Amino acid sequence: MDAQGRGRAENIDPADQWVLNPNTGEYELRLTPSAPQSAVPSPRRPRGQRAPGAAGPGTQGGARGATRAAGSAARGKAPGAAAGTARSRTAAPSPAPDRAAPERDVPSPRRRRGAPPEPLPGRRGRRPAKKKSKAKKALIWTGGTMAFLLVLVGTAGYLFIKHLEGNVSTTDVGDAGSKGFSKDEAFNILIIGTDKRTGKGNEGYGDKGSVGHADTNILLHVAKDRTNATAMSIPRDMIVDVPDCPTIQPDGSTKVVAGTDNVRFNTSLGQDGRDPGCTMRTVEAVTGIHVDHFMMADFNAVKTLTSAVGGVDVCLAHAVNDPKSHLNLSQGEHTIEGEQALAFVRTRHSFGNEGDLDRIKVQQQFLGSLARKMSSTDTLTNPKKLYKLADAATKALTVDTGIGKVSTLKDVALELKKVPTKNITFLTLPVIDNPAEKVRATVVPDPNKAPEVFDAIKGDVSFTEVKQKEKAAKDAEAARLQGTQAPADEVRVRILNGGAKAGSASQTLAWLQNDAGVLKSENAGNAPAEAAKTTLEYAPDQAAQARKLAALMGLPGSALKPGQSVTNSQGLPTMTLTLGKDFKGAGVSMTAPAKAPEVDNQSTADKVQCAS
């Protein structure tokens, strides 16, 4: 409020100004606007000098009131007119002794805050101040309480976020993964479950004294359009070559852990000081699929997450009483959590042929049920459950620094939430028994089926049926490949390396000129920045050339980018081929399969299955 407003509102409690706005439903502070002031100010005079006709010093406000009266008379107005224009902040003047005071509206005398008004003689007194009603007091308290709650909620939200930030453990995996997270691209997350025996009650599981090997491994691919996702389990006993792995030490230095050939996949973590980045590098070496991020959990994660959602529903085709895992459940449906849930996913000798591959199937069924429970309305609309779930998840996980912030983990969760559970496919990397063994204990990737699965994931191809509009978008990309093609000797292209293996540009140039007949091609060196995908940019009048080059190299329609041509070293217009991180090698087709292959025992997250 301004100075004049304060003077006129001495008997107004500011809390009375909280009123309900019917348009917004919120309580707002309404300040009474200042009343208009007198158009002509009183003339200034020397200190101590009285105005003509003014009352003596003993008369309250006489000088100021007489001056205003004289000014009004000089303008031909009644003194009351000026007084009526604006109420004075001083008491009313007494009339001069040599003339009668005219009839006018005289302001009330100044009084203490809270004192009742004193009416002037001969006129009605001012209306007494209204006493605040109980209803208005209720509004005051409601408005104040709402504001206080908003402050509390904001503070609590900030403290909760800081609390969650403190829960999350991170590991810097260097260039093994992506530095950040994109909401607009497909992404791959490696979910690792270790067999480390940390935590109360975990002594009976895993290998005694284990440093934490990669016991359970799932590569989760989330499609770019978020219509589908694929969760591919990787057997821990699969024989692989673990590549050399740079690991970042606590002091910031880098130590390279030497790779080993023909070893179990689970040794890609923990063995010789290998970190999750080593497991990510191993996955990429085996599948050709770049892993963007990892999430790692131990035995405690199963217990805390299942308890946070109030238990997970599972089904058993037959009764189980396993003395090794201590799982004892009757045939049929059960809701399990905590220690019992951990026993369920660790049980191996009660399902199938008692091998790791059959346990993987049971774990997939369990994860499907957990996904349904986490995305259920009962969980998403229950603040208590959501709080427990967020707290438990952040405590249970170790992630890479690229997604180590709670805000980023929230973004990942929101992107995952967009995928319908019916389009989340669980499958196992196709394997066969290790032919080098007489006693079958390990497996190797199936050379006939595994590459098809890898290509489907890299090509962002769904293993389930998706909506027609997404299919139409893919058809539009495929349409770029339709039409006439220029002869190979008319194709003019420059090649840039944008993230492919070193030497890829020169190898591609040699292949194009010697094997494909594209003689008007040249190596233009490295691209200005790395690219995840291989692209071919061309001008509209070069579309026939682009289609021919795409056919020769096996480029998908999504790789063709209509744009502008540039000039080559001879000053002639040319297309630009940028080899991205997905480049497979000179002469190797990059076209994704039109349909994902059928994989044995694949399932979707919306289906309820009974472990057998």
Side-chain angles (χ1 to χ4, degrees), residues 77-101:
K77 296 181 181 180
T85 303
R87 291 180 179 174
S88 170
R89 296 176 59 192
T90 61
S94 299
D98 56 345
R99 60 190 178 97

Side-chain angles (χ1 to χ4, degrees), residues 5 268 340 419 510 516:
S268 63
Q340 197 174 41
V419 182

Side-chain angles (χ1 to χ4, degrees), residues 54-68:
T59 305
Q60 185 179 12
R64 196 173 296 173
T67 302
R68 282 198 299 272

Side-chain angles (χ1 to χ4, degrees), residues 486-495 518-522 536-538 542 545-546 549 565-577:
D489 59 2
E490 292 183 7
V491 174
R492 186 179 288 110
V493 62
R494 65 175 191 147
I495 308 166
V518 182
L519 303 179
K520 298 176 182 178
S521 51
E522 66 178 28
L536 175 62
E537 187 174 359
Y538 60 96
Q542 296 171 321
Q545 295 184 45
L549 187 61
S565 66
V566 295
T567 56
N568 61 12
S569 58
Q570 298 175 332
L572 299 174
T574 184
M575 301 183 295
T576 300
L577 173 67

Side-chain angles (χ1 to χ4, degrees), residues 233-235 356-365 428:
S233 294
I234 302 173
D356 190 52
L357 295 180
D358 287 295
R359 183 172 65 171
I360 286 176
K361 297 175 189 176
V362 174
Q363 291 174 346
Q364 291 173 349
Q365 294 164 12
T428 302

